[in-house]
Each structure stands twice: as structure tokens, then as C-alpha cells.
Amino acid sequence: ALLKIVEGTTAGVPPGGGRKHPEQRLIQINTKNILFIVGGAFDGLEKNIARRIKNTVIGFTADNDDNELDTFQLLTKVEQSDLMKFGLIPELVGRLPVIAPLEELSEEAMKSILTEPKNSIYKQYQKLCKMDGVDLVFDDSATSYIIKQAMERKTGARALRSIIEEIMLPVMYSIPDNKKKKKIVIDMEFIEMNRRNQF
């Protein structure tokens, strides 16, 4: 079914987006002129590329060059055969004509993801706390810590949410019980306390 949609077909889509009402009329959408972008972390793909490149290197410096390439440099050399060895089926790979590796997010990009969008993770938690009459402030030291932790996990921007949820879990449970608190500052001291479960 996925192959047909990528290739171009007329697919029936429920207007509500769910299957709660099987008898509802489906909206017919022709996928012929829709651009599909398939993305992911593809963790471990660089090992397949490194193996393939090592087999093709000839000469006295073959052993030395193998360790010179970092992950991004290896990903720039990705071919369809590497994706198939990684586990994607040939039929799907054949329908994805352009392969483009993306650089890892920088610390600046991570910071803008945390703070700038209209529905950024910070703003979501600030709005939730505001509903209970509490002002939530994220200190720069906490932001730097969250970004460094996310960079270490190597799962891109998704790591930001899981780290913030770990930090905010005790806060979200304690706010409704503690009516006197009007402001909470998330800084390094708070994070250290949170680690020791002393909040």
C-alpha cells in the first residue's frame, strides 16, 4: 500500500483522520503530484558505507584512510545498496530517486527549536504552568545542559522533548498541590535537585 501511494495512486482518506467510523465517506486524494520525503536517523548506516568503501580502497594508505572519515563524511557517500543492506526493501529504495544526507543539528539550531517556534517545548510547558497560575522560567544554564544532553543522545531534536519531560515530571505533579508557588525557575541547581529527587 505504501509503495502504491509513493508511486502515485488515488487513495481514500478519512476526513477525521481516524477509523472510528468505518461507514464514513472517504476523501479521494491523487498522490501522483505529491512530494514524499522519507527521513530518519538511520543510526548505523555509516557502518555499511565504511565497509563498502574499505573494500574499494587500493594502495599503501588503505588502512590509514579508513579512520579519517567522520560520520557525516561517510553519509555523503551513501548509495542505494547501503540503504538496502540497512534494511529498506529494494522496491521502496527504487521509488526514492534522490538521497540527501543532512548535517547534525548545531547547538544554535537546538536552542532555536527550544525557544523560537510558536509552539516550542518551552512555551508549551509555560502555558501549562500558567493555567495553574505559575510562571515558569528556563535559565540559560538549564538550556545549555538540555542541549548538551540532547547532542550526546544523537537522536536530533526528539531528544530535547524527552530530556525536558524528565526534568518537568516532578514539577507538573507538584504544582496543583502547591498553591503558594507563583514562579518556578529551571536552572542547574533545580536540575541537580531533580536528579536527587528532592523537589
Side-chain angles (χ1 to χ4, degrees):
L2 176 63
L3 295 176
K4 277 174 75 178
I5 290 169
V6 173
E7 199 172 52
T9 188
T10 303
V13 180
R19 299 185 195 179
K20 289 180 183 174
H21 309 288
E23 70 285 346
Q24 68 186 336
R25 283 187 59 196
L26 300 176
I27 299 167
Q28 299 300 313
I29 295 176
N30 189 341
T31 64
K32 187 180 178 184
N33 294 320
I34 295 176
L35 172 67
F36 290 94
I37 300 173
V38 180
F42 296 97
D43 190 36
L45 178 62
E46 68 278 359
K47 291 172 188 166
N48 290 341
I49 301 165
R51 256 184 249 119
R52 177 176 52 79
I53 291 172
K54 188 178 176 186
N55 291 340
T56 58
V57 173
I58 301 169
F60 297 108
T61 60
D63 292 335
N64 298 332
D65 290 344
D66 186 42
N67 297 323
E68 294 297 313
L69 298 173
D70 66 11
T71 303
F72 180 70
Q73 286 175 317
L74 282 168
L75 289 174
T76 59
K77 299 175 184 304
V78 68
E79 291 179 2
Q80 291 183 327
S81 60
D82 301 317
L83 291 169
M84 286 185 271
K85 280 182 186 166
F86 185 73
L88 295 179
I89 61 170
E91 291 85 356
L92 179 61
V93 174
R95 284 167 174 82
L96 305 171
V98 179
I99 300 171
L102 304 175
E103 290 184 41
E104 281 187 21
L105 290 168
S106 64
E107 288 192 19
E108 294 79 32
M110 290 273 204
K111 187 172 184 179
S112 69
I113 289 165
L114 274 178
T115 57
E116 288 174 21
K118 225 190 290 185
N119 64 338
S120 71
I121 307 167
Y122 275 5
K123 289 173 186 170
Q124 287 175 25
Y125 273 106
Q126 284 166 341
K127 192 168 184 180
L128 286 168
C129 290
K130 201 77 177 165
M131 291 164 119
D132 286 309
V134 175
D135 288 324
L136 180 66
V137 179
F138 288 92
D139 188 66
D140 287 342
S141 62
T143 302
S144 299
Y145 169 81
I146 291 164
I147 290 166
K148 279 177 187 155
Q149 289 293 306
M151 300 285 268
E152 281 174 24
R153 292 191 187 186
K154 295 186 182 292
T155 54
R158 287 188 190 94
L160 294 171
R161 179 169 287 282
S162 60
I163 292 162
I164 291 171
E165 284 184 1
E166 286 168 19
I167 293 167
M168 291 301 297
L169 191 66
V171 178
M172 300 312 287
Y173 275 111
S174 65
I175 284 175
D177 297 334
N178 195 342
K179 299 291 181 191
K180 291 178 185 176
K181 262 196 193 301
K182 294 294 174 194
K183 185 175 181 180
I184 294 175
V185 178
I186 307 294
D187 54 13
M188 276 312 296
E189 186 184 341
F190 177 89
I191 290 168
E192 290 297 334
M193 258 174 38
N194 192 8
R195 275 184 184 164
R196 298 191 298 267
N197 295 321
Q198 289 182 2
F199 182 79

XYZ file of all heavy atoms in Angstrom, residues 5-6 10 13-14 22 35 41 43 47 51 84 93 95 112 122-123 135 141 156 158 184 186 199:
193
model
N 1.159 4.342 -2.899
C 0.950 5.757 -2.571
C 2.135 6.591 -3.043
O 1.967 7.666 -3.621
C 0.712 5.927 -1.042
C -0.643 5.342 -0.660
C 0.778 7.393 -0.639
C -0.867 5.203 0.822
N 3.360 6.092 -2.813
C 4.573 6.823 -3.227
C 4.638 6.915 -4.751
O 5.005 7.952 -5.313
C 5.841 6.142 -2.658
C 7.103 6.772 -3.222
C 5.858 6.234 -1.135
N -4.783 6.807 -6.409
C -5.888 7.521 -5.770
C -6.219 6.787 -4.471
O -6.656 5.641 -4.493
C -7.119 7.574 -6.699
O -6.731 8.199 -7.934
C -8.235 8.388 -6.076
N -8.954 8.729 2.000
C -8.509 9.206 3.312
C -9.736 9.607 4.137
O -10.576 10.373 3.658
C -7.565 10.424 3.162
C -7.098 10.925 4.521
C -6.380 10.075 2.285
N -9.860 9.104 5.383
C -10.997 9.513 6.216
C -10.888 10.989 6.590
O -9.800 11.444 6.948
C -10.894 8.617 7.453
C -9.528 8.052 7.449
C -9.007 8.119 6.049
N -16.177 3.530 10.376
C -15.845 2.865 9.114
C -16.813 3.186 7.979
O -16.455 3.108 6.814
C -15.890 1.372 9.446
C -16.118 1.259 10.898
C -16.493 2.595 11.432
N 4.920 15.374 -3.263
C 6.337 15.099 -2.993
C 6.450 14.381 -1.650
O 5.999 14.890 -0.622
C 7.129 16.414 -2.942
C 8.585 16.310 -2.482
C 9.433 15.544 -3.498
C 9.175 17.684 -2.241
N 16.892 8.936 11.375
C 18.260 8.983 11.903
C 19.158 7.954 11.221
O 20.345 8.177 11.040
C 18.243 8.740 13.416
N 20.509 5.255 12.216
C 21.674 5.010 13.066
C 22.342 3.690 12.705
O 21.702 2.650 12.686
C 21.239 4.990 14.539
C 22.419 4.979 15.480
O 23.426 5.636 15.156
O 22.336 4.325 16.527
N 28.142 2.471 9.106
C 28.980 1.252 9.185
C 28.935 0.487 7.862
O 29.966 -0.027 7.411
C 28.502 0.354 10.330
C 28.769 0.951 11.705
C 28.129 0.136 12.795
C 28.248 0.865 14.135
N 27.382 0.288 15.149
N 32.178 -0.104 5.419
C 32.570 -1.440 4.940
C 32.739 -1.453 3.428
O 33.685 -2.009 2.904
C 31.514 -2.467 5.357
C 31.970 -3.321 6.537
C 30.957 -4.401 6.886
N 30.362 -4.073 8.164
C 29.084 -3.837 8.378
N 28.214 -3.904 7.399
N 28.654 -3.543 9.570
N 19.693 -0.628 1.234
C 19.121 -1.976 1.177
C 19.781 -2.895 2.207
O 19.108 -3.692 2.857
C 19.231 -2.540 -0.237
C 18.234 -1.890 -1.193
S 18.227 -2.622 -2.828
C 19.459 -1.664 -3.654
N 13.314 1.682 -2.019
C 14.528 2.442 -2.354
C 14.479 2.897 -3.814
O 14.856 4.020 -4.142
C 15.803 1.595 -2.076
C 17.057 2.312 -2.555
C 15.918 1.285 -0.590
N 11.958 3.727 -5.497
C 10.994 4.810 -5.688
C 11.448 6.115 -5.036
O 10.723 7.104 -5.061
C 9.626 4.393 -5.133
C 8.897 3.406 -6.051
C 7.724 2.793 -5.341
N 6.908 1.948 -6.216
C 7.170 0.688 -6.522
N 8.265 0.106 -6.046
N 6.373 0.005 -7.314
N 17.248 27.313 19.097
C 16.122 27.970 18.418
C 14.890 27.059 18.394
O 13.765 27.531 18.503
C 16.510 28.400 17.007
O 16.695 27.289 16.171
N 9.376 24.751 25.318
C 9.381 25.673 26.463
C 8.017 26.360 26.604
O 7.449 26.413 27.687
C 10.460 26.737 26.266
C 11.850 26.331 26.719
C 12.116 25.047 27.175
C 12.901 27.240 26.705
C 13.383 24.681 27.581
C 14.170 26.890 27.107
C 14.416 25.610 27.550
O 15.673 25.268 27.962
N 7.510 26.875 25.490
C 6.242 27.623 25.532
C 5.065 26.723 25.900
O 4.132 27.159 26.573
C 6.004 28.321 24.194
C 6.954 29.493 23.973
C 6.832 30.073 22.587
C 7.909 31.141 22.365
N 7.990 31.571 20.972
N 4.344 31.055 36.973
C 5.249 31.491 35.903
C 6.433 30.539 35.859
O 7.104 30.322 36.872
C 5.754 32.917 36.156
C 4.659 33.953 35.934
O 3.836 33.756 35.024
O 4.624 34.943 36.683
N 21.553 28.402 31.875
C 22.377 27.247 32.271
C 21.608 25.941 32.039
O 22.174 24.954 31.580
C 22.795 27.360 33.738
O 21.648 27.358 34.575
N 18.849 13.787 17.498
C 18.310 15.028 16.966
C 17.407 15.757 17.941
O 17.523 15.612 19.157
N 14.384 15.289 18.704
C 13.484 14.443 19.512
C 14.001 14.289 20.943
O 13.227 14.140 21.876
C 13.329 13.064 18.873
C 12.484 13.069 17.630
C 12.214 11.643 17.163
N 11.600 11.644 15.861
C 12.274 11.526 14.731
N 13.580 11.399 14.745
N 11.649 11.541 13.570
N 8.475 29.368 39.107
C 9.449 28.274 39.166
C 10.542 28.583 38.145
O 10.252 28.872 36.982
C 8.803 26.909 38.852
C 7.803 26.534 39.948
C 9.855 25.824 38.698
C 7.019 25.272 39.684
N 13.772 27.020 36.292
C 14.505 25.788 35.985
C 15.942 26.191 35.679
O 16.235 26.784 34.641
C 13.895 25.044 34.772
C 12.389 24.803 34.955
C 14.630 23.736 34.502
C 11.999 23.881 36.057
N 12.916 17.461 44.893
C 11.966 18.560 44.608
C 10.685 18.362 45.425
O 10.148 17.284 45.432
C 11.647 18.605 43.112
C 10.730 19.741 42.775
C 11.205 21.027 42.659
C 9.379 19.501 42.597
C 10.335 22.070 42.361
C 8.516 20.533 42.286
C 9.006 21.820 42.174
